[in-house]
Amino acid sequence: MHHNILEIKQLKTYFFTRSGVVKAVDSVNFGIRRGESLCLVGESGCGKTATALSILRLIDSPPGKIIDGEIRYHDEDLLRCSGKRLRQIRGHGIAMIFQDPQSSLNPVFTVGDQIAEQIRMHLKLKRRPTMERTLHLMEQVGIPRARERMKDYPHQFSGGMRQRIMIAAALSCGPEILIADEPTTALDTTIKEQILDIFRDLKQQREMSILFITHDLGTVAGIADRIVVMYGGRIAEVGTVYDIFDQPKHPYTHGLIDCLPDISARSDRLTSIPGMIPSLIDPPDGCIFSPRCPRSMMVCRQKRPKEVIVSKEHLVACHLYS
Amino acid sequence: MKRGGLQGYIIKRLIYAALIAFGVVTITFILLRLGPTSPADKYLANMSARTQDPAQVVAAVEARYGLDKPLYQQYGNYLINLARGDWGWSFSTSMPVIKLIQTHWVYSFQLILLSMLFAASLGLLIGVCSAIKQYTRIDYLATFFSFIGISIPNFWLGIMLILVFSVQLGWFKTYYDTGLPMFSLANLKALILPVITLGTGMMAGYTRYARSATLDNMGKDFVRTARAKGLPERVVIGKHVFRNAILPIITIIMFSLSGIVFGGAYLTEIIFGIPGLGRISFNAIFASDYPVVVTITLIGTLVVLLTNLATDIVYTWLDPRIRYD
């Protein structure tokens, strides 16, 4: 059995809005293993980001609230540890980068300072070594003329360079786990590849686990060891990258893979999954995918499917297999 | 960062400032001289020279100060003298205007400076606290009192403060004591009521702006980044939020300066009998002592313009995105 360094159990994160309770994360379970890169995949609004933010308790509250569950990191439950302990883990044990590097960096501080501040804070280094480390990190993520550019401000960098800065800051204290929430979504395709390369290098060089969140299955193929497919705040399918791409079980996963454009098919139209993303305020009874599911059965509309073990690494939550 | 364009920008702004000051002097001068009374009339009253033919006295006085010349000529002379550093003669107090200002400016200066410090520091503090504790009792209280503070006219507040704290409780004098040494606790105490009078409205306004600017920035993505780094809330708010929130607040503070210099300070000085420029100017208006009025208006204008320019320069340090070129 593989050892999970982070274990998410029965996580429920709800948002209390004017129009009702949004069950953004509804009883989600999965684990992250040492040194693996795990991709969390799903459409917009399926609860990927809410899951990621819940791990470090970064959900904006109000309106969001983690209702229940457990997030086990080593021997601690992050949902129940003290604020002080949580701050020691944030940025040090588990670091996070976000979708939009433009707004995620503070415009009025130099990038050097924004990388250095957590080094000072967690590693308690003096001025000189902090600066050296910052410089080294910036060189590592491929920022040219790093020594001069440390003193520059975020607006003086391009989008791709800003995301490199974010990565450098996240790596600064040598985290065990890096959570990357759609880190390439806001970037051009060419820049996106460069950033993905950094992630691939990181995986090889460091014994670091990566939780990579994306809606783009194409990105996933190039980076993931294992994949968690989410739909409507719940987990649809979990498996290795081969399980998911070669033998997808869940009709939703099928749908996602069918949506990938196939150049050899030379079709005029792009495929899509019919129907709309369900409202998470008042989800249908039973399987949340059933209204859009081409293989929906009677039971799908009545009972919520349990997770079924397909093979050693492969789990699916679908009545077709129970 | 490149600051090459800053010098050119400052020069440009100084030219604008000179043009605005010129405009203010011109308008003030003409408006005052359009009035029906001649400064000489008041002069006459002051001299109690009723034994002579009043018309003759007026003519003599007017001739002495050049008031008999056409307006454009008087205006031209005034400007030339101003450029030479001669700020005119005060008819009502019989001394050079410059002398008058030299003795009185410091009273206005201390009042305005202390009021701004009081309003800015308390306003920021309450505003930020209010934002951090949004929708709690602290926030509601701060909001409630800041609306009261904004709504109270300061002349009324001043009179009420005198009534309660000076007349009823006897804690303060009803009048500002000019005999106190400038840098003494007694002087500071004497300024408490005036500073509250002038500062409360400003403070309430700053509180509102500080609250909304803080809330604006608390929702920003970089705040989430800062939290994800494991920074303590003290640093998240005190560094990342505050440093961004302060930018619009500084603009607001500078923007309110003209209202303070030309409005609030005048009234406060009059209520408490502080012999500052506002009060001098106020008296001069009633005495048709136009050189005093024009000069004090000019000084106020310059103070506002130069402070604004100074703020713009400070901005290039506070906000690295701003460049003037």
Side-chain angles (χ1 to χ4, degrees):
Chain A
M1 193 60 204
H2 293 276
H3 177 62
N4 285 337
I5 65 170
L6 190 83
E7 182 90 41
I8 295 165
K9 291 178 190 164
Q10 290 296 321
L11 179 69
K12 286 184 187 163
T13 303
Y14 294 175
F15 288 84
F16 296 86
T17 66
R18 220 177 275 270
S19 38
V21 181
V22 180
K23 298 180 176 178
V25 182
D26 195 6
S27 301
V28 161
N29 299 291
F30 66 90
I32 302 170
R33 297 171 190 161
R34 185 174 298 281
E36 81 168 342
S37 64
L38 180 70
C39 278
L40 195 54
V41 189
E43 288 164 291
S44 312
C46 74
K48 319 181 286 279
T49 298
T51 307
L53 291 174
S54 299
I55 295 173
L56 286 175
R57 275 163 52 188
L58 289 168
I59 294 282
D60 282 329
S61 174
K65 195 161 189 264
I66 300 171
I67 297 297
D68 196 18
E70 205 178 314
I71 290 171
R72 199 146 278 281
Y73 173 62
H74 294 293
D75 291 324
E76 279 171 284
D77 181 1
L78 295 186
L79 299 185
R80 280 163 196 88
C81 70
S82 70
K84 195 178 166 219
R85 179 71 191 124
L86 182 69
R87 282 195 296 276
Q88 286 170 353
I89 293 166
R90 285 175 176 176
H92 196 180
I94 305 174
M96 187 158 181
I97 57 176
F98 301 95
Q99 180 170 348
D100 184 0
Q102 159 104 47
S103 60
S104 297
L105 286 165
N106 195 326
V108 299
F109 297 108
T110 63
V111 296
D113 179 61
Q114 295 187 63
I115 298 171
E117 65 179 344
Q118 57 192 336
I119 302 176
R120 277 195 299 268
M121 152 99 209
H122 289 299
L123 307 180
K124 314 254 182 290
L125 293 184
K126 293 249 170 358
R127 223 181 73 88
R128 195 87 211 160
T130 303
M131 225 190 78
E132 288 308 317
R133 198 181 169 97
T134 305
L135 184 67
H136 180 69
L137 284 157
M138 285 177 69
E139 282 167 352
Q140 215 182 355
V141 296
I143 292 165
R145 296 184 297 117
R147 193 174 288 275
E148 300 154 48
R149 304 230 64 189
M150 273 169 76
K151 295 182 198 76
D152 281 348
Y153 292 88
H155 71 276
Q156 290 162 292
F157 290 83
S158 66
M161 285 295 154
R162 281 188 211 127
Q163 196 58 290
R164 285 169 200 257
I165 302 283
M166 287 294 290
I167 295 171
L171 296 176
S172 62
C173 302
E176 272 187 298
I177 303 172
L178 176 66
I179 302 173
D181 183 9
E182 307 231 16
T184 56
T185 306
L187 305 175
D188 293 344
T189 319
T190 46
I191 308 295
K192 185 170 127 181
E193 274 311 311
Q194 294 172 8
I195 298 292
L196 287 177
D197 277 339
I198 297 179
F199 279 98
R200 288 185 199 111
D201 288 349
L202 283 176
K203 234 188 83 185
Q204 281 179 355
Q205 288 163 10
R206 302 183 179 219
E207 265 280 284
M208 190 174 63
S209 312
I210 300 174
L211 176 61
F212 198 98
I213 292 153
T214 180
H215 62 264
D216 177 13
L217 217 52
T219 307
V220 172
I223 190 163
D225 294 320
R226 288 195 309 136
I227 296 171
V228 175
V229 181
M230 267 187 95
Y231 184 82
R234 302 172 190 179
I235 285 184
E237 191 166 358
V238 183
T240 65
V241 65
Y242 303 106
D243 292 334
I244 299 294
F245 278 95
D246 297 343
Q247 292 158 0
K249 296 292 179 208
H250 200 287
Y252 176 63
T253 318
H254 270 289
L256 278 184
I257 291 171
D258 289 344
C259 292
L260 285 176
D262 183 359
I263 216 133
S264 57
R266 290 201 139 270
S267 154
D268 288 341
R269 293 182 64 95
L270 291 170
T271 342
S272 66
I273 303 176
M276 294 285 290
I277 307 166
S279 155
L280 300 182
I281 289 179
D282 204 6
D285 289 338
C287 173
I288 197 160
F289 187 58
S290 59
R292 290 171 80 183
C293 183
R295 300 176 66 184
S296 168
M297 305 174 293
M298 273 298 278
V299 63
C300 297
R301 298 177 189 277
Q302 289 153 3
K303 251 177 72 185
R304 184 167 167 178
K306 288 207 170 63
E307 283 165 17
V308 182
I309 298 171
V310 182
S311 66
K312 202 172 126 224
E313 302 272 14
H314 200 167
L315 281 178
V316 65
C318 179
H319 285 301
L320 287 171
Y321 305 94
S322 54
Chain B
M1 202 188 86
K2 220 173 84 184
R3 291 180 202 281
L6 189 58
Q7 215 169 358
Y9 175 78
I10 294 172
I11 292 168
K12 203 164 77 184
R13 283 287 303 265
L14 283 174
I15 294 170
Y16 285 148
L19 287 174
I20 292 168
F22 174 75
V24 167
V25 167
T26 308
I27 292 169
T28 319
F29 187 93
I30 291 171
L31 280 179
L32 284 166
R33 303 292 285 120
L34 286 178
T37 51
S38 159
D41 294 337
K42 305 281 179 170
Y43 199 64
L44 179 69
N46 286 347
M47 297 203 20
S48 60
R50 311 227 166 193
T51 45
Q52 298 173 29
D53 177 9
Q56 265 182 7
V57 176
V58 168
V61 170
E62 286 191 340
R64 191 163 131 208
Y65 295 112
L67 296 170
D68 52 348
K69 298 206 173 72
L71 190 58
Y72 70 88
Q73 219 169 0
Q74 288 184 40
Y75 173 64
N77 286 340
Y78 179 77
L79 281 187
I80 290 164
N81 288 338
L82 202 61
R84 281 188 193 139
D86 175 6
W87 294 3
W89 179 264
S90 164
F91 307 116
S92 61
T93 55
S94 303
M95 60 163 88
V97 173
I98 193 151
K99 193 97 186 186
L100 199 64
I101 286 163
Q102 269 168 357
T103 26
H104 294 284
W105 72 272
V106 69
Y107 296 106
S108 296
F109 179 74
Q110 63 175 6
L111 174 66
I112 291 171
L113 188 72
L114 287 174
S115 301
M116 289 200 72
L117 285 176
F118 162 76
S121 53
L122 265 182
L124 274 175
L125 188 73
I126 299 172
V128 171
C129 287
S130 184
I132 297 170
K133 306 273 179 201
Q134 195 190 11
Y135 303 137
T136 63
R137 207 167 298 172
I138 296 171
D139 183 28
Y140 290 129
L141 266 169
T143 304
F144 179 72
F145 281 107
S146 59
F147 276 121
I148 290 184
I150 291 169
S151 316
I152 289 178
N154 59 4
F155 60 87
W156 183 85
L157 178 66
I159 292 164
M160 287 303 127
L161 288 173
I162 292 174
L163 198 64
V164 174
F165 294 102
S166 304
V167 178
Q168 303 283 332
L169 297 169
W171 293 356
F172 301 97
K173 288 197 172 123
T174 52
Y175 234 60
Y176 176 74
D177 188 350
T178 47
L180 299 166
M182 193 59 67
F183 298 102
S184 65
L185 279 177
N187 185 42
L188 212 57
K189 188 193 167 198
L191 282 167
I192 287 177
L193 292 189
V195 163
I196 292 175
T197 304
L198 182 54
T200 299
M202 292 192 260
M203 180 187 77
Y206 300 162
T207 304
R208 299 303 304 154
Y209 285 110
R211 180 182 182 272
S212 76
T214 308
L215 280 177
D216 265 1
N217 283 292
M218 274 168 66
K220 292 274 172 73
D221 286 350
F222 58 75
V223 175
R224 196 178 53 193
T225 310
R227 291 208 174 101
K229 286 175 178 174
L231 301 175
E233 208 59 4
R234 160 175 56 82
V235 179
V236 174
I237 301 291
K239 180 181 173 183
H240 288 272
V241 173
F242 187 73
R243 192 62 165 55
N244 281 280
I246 192 80
L247 299 171
I249 297 170
I250 288 176
T251 310
I252 296 295
I253 292 176
M254 285 310 137
F255 200 71
S256 65
L257 185 67
S258 62
I260 295 157
V261 169
F262 289 110
Y266 274 47
L267 290 168
T268 310
E269 285 178 11
I270 291 155
I271 294 165
F272 290 94
I274 298 170
L277 296 185
R279 206 169 107 96
I280 300 302
S281 183
F282 179 80
N283 291 340
I285 290 168
F286 283 101
S288 295
D289 195 352
Y290 73 90
V292 175
V293 183
V294 176
T295 309
I296 291 178
T297 309
L298 175 64
I299 289 172
T301 309
L302 289 177
V303 166
V304 171
L305 287 171
L306 294 180
T307 330
N308 279 339
L309 177 58
T311 317
D312 283 347
I313 295 166
V314 169
Y315 256 121
T316 61
W317 301 91
L318 287 177
D319 188 346
R321 286 164 296 182
I322 291 179
R323 286 177 62 179
Y324 302 110
D325 51 18

